[in-house]
Each structure stands twice: as C-alpha cells, then as structure tokens.
Amino acid sequence: MDTDQSDVSSYLDHLPAIFRHEPFVGRCLLAFEKVLSGTDAQQPGLETTIGSLADYLDPKSTSAEFLPWLAGWVTLSLRADWDEATKRSFIQQIVPLYRLRGTKAGLQRMLELYAGQRPDIDDDFEQPAHFFQVRLTLTEPDPELLRRKLEIARAIIDQEKPAHAFYALQPAVPTMRLVSKARQQELKAPLLILGENTLLGTTTQASTQSP
C-alpha cells in the first residue's frame, strides 16, 4: 500500500531498508521529528532552540524581554528609564568595569556608556578634600528629556563614586545650534532668523575709553 510521503517522517531515511516501507514506523517517527527538528520556521524544533542557545546569552542578540534575566547574571540593576540600547551596552561591558568601581576611569567609562560622550572629571582639588567635578556634555534639545538624563547621570555618579567623596555635576548643553531647515522641522523647534528674532552679541555699541 502506497503512503503519502507527507504522512511519514524523513527520519526513515536513517533506518535500515527493511523498516522504510512500514507505514506505522513512518507515522510514529513523524511525531519525534516535529518535536526535535520542527516543521517550519514558525515552529522550530529542539535542535534549532538548542543551537541558538548562545544567542540568549549575548546582550547584542538576546530578546528585549530576556535582558533583565541576563542582567541578573552579572548583578546589574537595570533602570526602567534606560532605553534598550543603553541596557544592552551596560550588560555587555559591566563585568570589566567592576574592577574599576570607585575609580576615576571607571566613572568616566560608565558615564560615557550612558551619555555617548566621555565626560571630563577634575579631582585635582586641594580644598575641599575628597571633592571632584564632573563636566558632562548632553546634546538633548528637549528640556524634559535633558532633565531626566541629568537625573540618571547623578544616579550613576552616586552609585560609582567612593562613599566618602562628594561632587558637583556641571552639564554642558547646547544653547543655540545652526541646523538645516529640514532638521529644524524634524525637531519642531522655532526657526531662528539672524537679525529678526536672533541677535549675536549686544544691540548697544560698546564704549571705548581714551588712553
């Protein structure tokens, strides 16, 4: 009796010839094939799942919902207000940074991971003791997002600095930038026109004194 090839397992090809013409064996193996090898891309089998196990352990390739579990492996607490890219960057680089915790280099790298730019940290102060200053450049034009970024930056400094040290955070933010009209429309910012609603310098002529 002929049997539709779609009703039997391809695993029959790995059995001795005497079993390949037995319909029951082909149908029985089909159940194992669906579990182990899967039927299509939408229903992968255990072989595919096990083969891609390393992707779950890679911060770059793991799914977003798996990031908190992966962060727990490296004892990292992810902030809810971090975007996905920031979370992946911190998980990927946090282990080497643990060796630098409490140091100037470690704090610089942590802030660079978050802000995308390396901050300037000045700790060369004789008085007061244990004081340092952080100058961090942020290019976020939205005032609310800028405030939130500063809060996160302070939280990172508070966590990474030595317990006896204190600091001042000096943010450097853009006050006026020259951008294209397309960029201005993208930012939904008011159009600045020099001489109409924008001035450079002062409107009064500076006085001069004779020697």
Side-chain angles (χ1 to χ4, degrees):
M1 181 176 63
D2 295 334
T3 304
D4 189 352
Q5 292 298 317
S6 62
D7 294 335
V8 298
S9 172
S10 62
Y11 286 6
L12 281 176
D13 297 336
H14 303 283
L15 296 181
I18 192 173
F19 296 107
R20 296 178 187 174
H21 303 290
E22 178 58 50
F24 172 76
V25 176
R27 292 194 298 271
C28 181
L29 289 177
L30 188 60
F32 290 93
E33 183 177 3
K34 288 181 179 179
V35 173
L36 297 176
S37 300
T39 56
D40 50 40
Q42 283 70 35
Q43 294 181 336
L46 289 178
E47 292 178 348
T48 302
T49 303
I50 295 174
S52 60
L53 184 61
D55 293 338
Y56 288 94
L57 306 179
D58 187 346
K60 291 183 178 180
S61 58
T62 192
S63 58
E65 57 269 18
F66 205 69
L67 289 175
W69 185 85
L70 195 58
W73 274 32
V74 292
T75 62
L76 174 65
S77 298
L78 297 177
R79 291 180 59 100
D81 49 5
W82 284 354
D83 57 39
E84 184 177 321
T86 300
K87 293 177 181 179
R88 293 182 186 275
S89 296
F90 270 95
I91 295 174
Q92 184 180 7
Q93 303 189 45
I94 192 61
V95 173
L97 285 175
Y98 281 149
R99 294 179 295 178
L100 300 175
R101 172 162 283 182
T103 67
K104 176 180 177 180
L107 179 57
Q108 280 181 321
R109 184 59 183 142
M110 290 287 285
L111 289 173
E112 183 180 5
L113 277 176
Y114 173 67
Q117 299 189 41
R118 191 171 183 83
D120 294 325
I121 300 180
D122 185 7
D123 58 353
D124 189 18
F125 293 94
E126 294 184 1
Q127 293 294 332
H130 312 302
F131 172 78
F132 64 96
Q133 179 175 282
V134 180
R135 180 177 175 85
L136 183 63
T137 301
L138 298 174
T139 58
E140 178 58 58
D142 189 311
E144 179 60 26
L145 292 178
L146 181 61
R147 181 191 62 80
R148 190 182 311 164
K149 281 195 170 185
L150 285 175
E151 289 179 356
I152 297 175
R154 289 186 182 279
I156 292 175
I157 298 174
D158 290 336
Q159 177 178 294
E160 298 300 319
K161 73 177 183 65
H164 63 278
F166 63 103
Y167 66 94
L169 176 59
Q170 182 182 6
V173 297
T175 54
M176 185 178 73
R177 294 182 294 177
L178 300 178
V179 298
S180 65
K181 188 172 182 180
R183 179 60 174 161
Q184 176 266 332
Q185 293 175 347
E186 179 183 345
L187 295 174
K188 297 181 180 179
L191 184 63
L192 301 180
I193 302 176
L194 188 62
E196 294 187 13
N197 59 2
T198 305
L199 295 175
L200 293 178
T202 178
T203 58
T204 59
Q205 185 175 2
S207 61
T208 59
Q209 295 182 349
S210 304

